[in-house]
Amino acid sequence: MGGVGEPGPREGPAQPGAPLPTFCWEQIRAHDQPGDKWLVIERRVYDISRWAQRHPGGSRLIGHHGAEDATDAFRAFHQDLNFVRKFLQPLLIGELAPEEPSQDGPLNAQSWCLQHDLGHASIFKKSWWNHVAQKFVMGQLKGFSAHWWNFRHFQHHAKPNIFHKDPDVTVAPVFLLGESSVEYGKKKRRYLPYNQQHLYFFLIGPPLLTLVNFEVENLAYMLVCMQWADLLWAASFYARFFLSYLPFYGVPGVLLFFVAVRVLESHWFVWITQMNHIPKEIGHEKHRDWVSSQLAATCNVEPSLFTNWFSGHLNFQIEHHLFPRMPRHNYSRVAPLVKSLCAKHGLSYEVKPFLTALVDIVRSLKKSGDIWLDAYLHQ
């Protein structure tokens, strides 16, 4: 391609005042390997290979956008864009060739609730206040690590329902979702009777996610990543909880009470968060633009006074994913605008009744299980 050059993978940043080299998407796609990551923001190409390890949001989060146009994600995740752009300047190595589209691929368009809002920095104007308050709410009031939650949840927002990038759909071999059903079937893997997963989901899904999976994963994360401050916050929760109830219920009673609280919380968490995601498309990276990728992985649930309150406004999951830092009480205001934009560009904007959304979780699990069985027996 005339006028398009490619420097070596470790060439220094572009010199101030010097004309920037230009790249086509074919060249950029070659730099999506461990230790060799490029990405595009606002049509400028950045080499984040070495800097990714220092990314405040973690190397995995920014690495998920390797060799992609990360402009929309960049704007959605950062509050002070001018401040963040200062860190990008030393990483600048070029820009997209004028004839290249901004997105590589077809373009269509561009106490739980409290800690969730704090984690998304949508309460206080200063990010530092949000982070400090989140540590208190997540650690002292719930016994979990704020860093662990951010590590999981930010990846989920960056690449929802994408295998190996969204931790929320990394549930094999216990459950098979989307494209993993065919893969396990063809490889003749049968760790569990997956054609019955819609039934055993009720036994090990909603009851045990928070009590078992989150507790173990949270503790392991704090120890492995040496998050000692979070460990102290979590220890303060357990100390307060057991010291408060031990005089009334004794050791067995306190343990039973703790299990009951976690199981009740787990039921709410699984049904409310997964009614917007599990029934949607789940699979490998498709390299879609920001809007299309969020719409493919999310849907809304019809609003009502009860649904809005019970779900913490997360029934507006489309708006939440498109604008993760927007205060959730504003979702209902922007929803008509988003729906109009989707209609204008021919994008699917799915809204379903509350009970239908809950039932669809089970339906999608059964569908995936049936697909697995068919592939297991016949492919």
Side-chain angles (χ1 to χ4, degrees):
M1 180 177 296
V4 179
E6 180 174 6
R10 289 294 176 266
E11 184 170 315
Q15 297 300 316
L20 292 172
T22 57
F23 303 99
C24 64
W25 278 112
E26 184 178 359
Q27 293 170 304
I28 295 170
R29 281 197 298 268
H31 297 275
D32 188 21
Q33 305 297 327
D36 182 18
K37 293 278 186 183
W38 291 8
L39 55 75
V40 177
I41 296 176
E42 297 167 339
R43 296 193 63 82
R44 294 199 159 197
V45 183
Y46 298 92
D47 183 349
I48 63 167
S49 305
R50 297 176 180 174
W51 183 82
Q53 296 297 328
R54 294 187 291 150
H55 180 235
S59 60
R60 286 177 60 87
L61 179 62
I62 193 171
H64 287 340
H65 293 281
E68 291 185 353
D69 185 339
T71 302
D72 290 333
F74 172 76
R75 292 171 177 169
F77 278 108
H78 300 102
Q79 189 167 354
D80 189 340
L81 297 181
N82 290 329
F83 175 75
V84 180
R85 288 190 182 101
K86 296 178 182 178
F87 294 91
L88 287 176
Q89 186 59 36
L91 311 176
L92 178 64
I93 59 172
E95 59 186 4
L96 274 178
E99 64 272 18
E100 289 289 317
S102 294
Q103 175 70 32
D104 181 25
L107 286 175
N108 291 318
Q110 284 303 332
S111 105
W112 150 252
C113 295
L114 176 60
Q115 86 81 20
H116 179 265
D117 294 346
L118 290 167
H120 280 286
S122 62
I123 294 183
F124 299 109
K125 290 183 178 180
K126 293 186 177 181
S127 296
W128 184 83
W129 294 355
N130 285 290
H131 295 320
V132 171
Q134 186 200 20
K135 290 178 185 296
F136 173 77
V137 174
M138 194 67 169
Q140 220 292 315
L141 300 186
K142 300 191 67 175
F144 288 114
S145 162
H147 285 93
W148 164 79
W149 186 87
N150 292 339
F151 172 77
R152 285 184 56 98
H153 198 62
F154 291 172
Q155 290 184 76
H156 164 70
H157 271 273
K159 293 290 180 179
N161 285 13
I162 302 296
F163 292 141
H164 311 301
K165 294 186 176 182
D166 180 1
D168 288 1
V169 295
T170 308
V171 293
V174 180
F175 296 104
L176 298 184
L177 305 173
E179 295 176 4
S180 66
S181 304
V182 178
E183 294 177 6
Y184 268 60
K186 288 182 176 179
K187 295 178 180 179
K188 308 302 178 185
R189 293 181 179 177
R190 186 175 183 172
Y191 302 112
L192 289 168
Y194 299 117
N195 56 312
Q196 302 297 324
Q197 66 177 2
H198 61 292
L199 299 178
Y200 67 71
F201 167 77
F202 290 93
L203 299 176
I204 62 177
L208 301 181
L209 179 69
T210 301
L211 177 64
V212 178
N213 184 57
F214 278 8
E215 288 283 352
V216 173
E217 184 181 323
N218 173 71
L219 178 60
Y221 178 87
M222 289 190 290
L223 294 176
V224 171
C225 298
M226 295 183 288
Q227 296 290 343
W228 308 126
D230 283 4
L231 194 61
L232 289 175
W233 277 117
S236 71
F237 161 79
Y238 288 103
R240 175 180 56 80
F241 187 93
F242 282 90
L243 289 176
S244 297
Y245 296 107
L246 197 62
F248 300 99
Y249 305 121
V251 174
V254 172
L255 291 175
L256 182 62
F257 183 39
F258 175 79
V259 170
V261 170
R262 284 293 196 236
V263 169
L264 182 63
E265 177 187 22
S266 186
H267 273 86
W268 179 90
F269 179 86
V270 171
W271 290 107
I272 292 301
T273 60
Q274 297 313 306
M275 67 181 181
N276 308 91
H277 292 297
I278 284 186
K280 300 295 288 183
E281 180 183 318
I282 301 176
H284 296 286
E285 180 65 82
K286 302 296 191 302
H287 297 290
R288 294 187 174 103
D289 61 87
W290 175 261
V291 174
S292 297
S293 65
Q294 304 302 329
L295 288 171
T298 60
C299 66
N300 281 5
V301 174
E302 292 178 353
S304 69
L305 289 177
F306 170 78
T307 304
N308 293 354
W309 167 80
F310 188 68
S311 68
H313 289 85
L314 293 183
N315 52 316
F316 292 97
Q317 198 70 208
I318 293 175
E319 287 70 29
H320 174 55
H321 266 257
L322 291 176
F323 313 105
R325 292 192 298 107
M326 178 182 290
R328 52 193 167 89
H329 58 268
N330 286 331
Y331 296 154
S332 59
R333 299 181 182 181
V334 302
L337 300 177
V338 174
K339 186 176 182 179
S340 176
L341 179 69
C342 291
K344 177 181 178 181
H345 294 279
L347 298 173
S348 174
Y349 184 96
E350 184 178 8
V351 184
K352 59 180 69 172
F354 181 59
L355 293 180
T356 300
L358 299 181
V359 173
D360 279 351
I361 296 177
V362 182
R363 288 173 179 165
S364 61
L365 287 170
K366 184 178 188 307
K367 180 180 179 180
S368 295
D370 291 341
I371 292 174
W372 165 82
L373 183 61
D374 180 69
Y376 184 87
L377 296 176
H378 304 114
Q379 296 187 32

